[in-house]
Amino acid sequence: MTVQAQPQGGSEETIPYTNLILAPGSFPRRLPIPNANLSNIYTLRFLEDSQKIDAACQKDLRVVIIGTSFISMELATTIAKRGMKSVDMVGMENTPFEMIMGKEVGEGLRTVMGQNINFHMDASVDSIRASSSDPSVADAVVLKDGTTLEADVIILGVGVAPATEFLKNGSGIQLEKDGGVVVDEYLKVPGVENVYAIGDIAVFPQTEMKTPRRIEHWNVAGNHGRAFVAYYFKENKVVALASMGRDPIMSKSSELMRLGIMPTAQEIKDGADVLQVDVSSVQALQRIAALKQ
């Protein structure tokens, strides 16, 4: 199996793989309205974004943050401590984090984190106004109820979109409406051999109810990358394992190897689940007895 890749500034190349992990991350959304790309409107995703926001948000300025996500709230809390003339947050929910944590917890976080921040909830943006003296910068955010929020700096925290455009043609991977990739409990993409998806793009069966959900958070992406098992083979035999975040598999494998009934290398490659090996089964007991003879 192969994947086509084109390094920046280089020519396209074909790379063979045994297992493929898709981890392209995501890119910040911008509002689909005029003036959303003016020079003093920022998104926060990469290090250079934070550096630009840090340089722009100086004392005695008016800052408007659109969106009440975790990152937006953390950013607003930090900026509000810099002695701003005003910090306004615009959110579509009744309470920050209401959809994720519920109204009560959201209100608690708003109380703790929202000092010196003006909240405009149950609100949506109608337009961004360009400055009459310099049309390259914005000077206000206008809400649909007519409220005008004067601004020297505007920050968009309206979510991210999975960076999966490259999978739309010819990959064999079906994308969700938002661009996410459905995976099973092992982060494997169903219907495509030996392909996995992690991070922001993964639509994962998150709860005991196996409800598919895509979570846009750096910690989730990090945990996906840390949950792995590596099997070391020699002559079709598993001789060692290394893992992170998969302790049950390590413990069970250790016992199976001690008893001499660990699945073979080929069985592991074919999808054998060591957690499903029953050490009390007739077959297992027969193998253990044979090893003792």
Side-chain angles (χ1 to χ4, degrees):
M1 294 173 284
T2 62
V3 62
Q4 300 297 121
Q6 185 167 1
Q8 188 172 4
S11 57
E12 185 176 283
E13 56 183 299
T14 300
I15 303 173
Y17 69 86
T18 302
N19 292 284
L20 177 64
I21 298 177
L22 300 173
S26 53
F27 58 88
R29 299 180 187 273
R30 285 187 176 267
L31 294 176
I33 58 176
N35 299 328
N37 292 298
L38 295 180
S39 62
N40 61 334
I41 300 178
Y42 303 91
T43 57
L44 179 56
R45 190 63 180 170
F46 305 106
L47 175 60
E48 54 266 32
D49 296 331
S50 64
Q51 293 170 336
K52 290 177 182 178
I53 292 172
D54 179 58
C57 292
Q58 301 302 316
K59 187 177 180 180
D60 291 329
L61 295 181
R62 301 163 299 179
V63 179
V64 175
I65 300 175
I66 301 173
T68 52
S69 64
F70 284 105
I71 291 179
S72 296
M73 185 66 79
E74 291 167 358
L75 187 60
T77 301
T78 300
I79 292 174
K81 295 176 182 178
R82 292 189 169 189
M84 295 295 168
K85 185 176 294 184
S86 63
V87 177
D88 292 279
M89 290 197 76
V90 180
M92 297 182 68
E93 300 172 295
N94 181 261
T95 302
F97 313 129
E98 182 176 359
M99 294 295 292
I100 301 173
M101 296 184 171
K103 187 172 183 177
E104 292 78 9
V105 174
E107 284 290 354
L109 290 172
R110 174 176 174 171
T111 300
V112 172
M113 302 177 67
Q115 298 181 32
N116 300 318
I117 299 172
N118 305 312
F119 288 91
H120 307 268
M121 305 305 297
D122 283 326
S124 54
V125 175
D126 181 70
S127 62
I128 294 175
R129 189 179 72 193
S131 170
S132 58
S133 60
D134 183 359
S136 70
V137 301
D139 67 2
V141 173
V142 181
L143 306 184
K144 288 192 180 295
D145 66 0
T147 301
T148 298
L149 306 175
E150 304 291 334
D152 300 298
V153 177
I154 299 171
I155 302 171
L156 302 180
V158 292
V160 297
T164 52
E165 284 287 328
F166 69 100
L167 295 174
K168 285 188 174 181
N169 298 314
S171 71
I173 297 174
Q174 183 174 351
L175 300 179
E176 298 293 280
K177 288 183 179 180
D178 67 352
V181 177
V182 173
V183 297
D184 62 18
E185 62 268 32
Y186 302 106
L187 299 172
K188 189 176 188 301
V189 180
V192 186
E193 187 176 0
N194 297 338
V195 176
Y196 300 81
I198 66 174
D200 285 352
I201 72 169
V203 182
F204 181 77
Q206 187 70 25
T207 65
E208 292 182 1
M209 300 299 292
K210 303 297 183 183
T211 303
R213 190 170 187 181
R214 189 175 64 80
I215 299 178
E216 301 166 355
H217 197 279
W218 63 267
N219 193 39
V220 174
N223 286 332
H224 283 173
R226 287 193 292 267
F228 73 90
V229 178
Y231 295 92
Y232 296 82
F233 304 141
K234 185 177 182 180
E235 297 178 353
N236 201 38
K237 182 179 180 180
V238 179
V239 296
L241 286 84
S243 81
M244 185 174 289
R246 303 297 294 274
D247 289 351
I249 291 179
M250 290 294 286
S251 298
K252 183 66 173 289
S253 296
S254 176
E255 181 68 3
L256 296 177
M257 293 171 72
R258 185 184 70 83
L259 294 173
I261 56 174
M262 182 72 181
T264 66
Q266 189 57 54
E267 288 171 337
I268 294 293
K269 291 178 180 179
D270 290 339
D273 183 355
V274 298
L275 295 177
Q276 300 303 316
V277 177
D278 184 0
V279 297
S280 65
S281 68
V282 173
Q283 294 85 349
L285 293 174
Q286 288 175 344
R287 292 179 65 175
I288 295 172
L291 290 170
K292 291 181 178 179
Q293 293 178 356

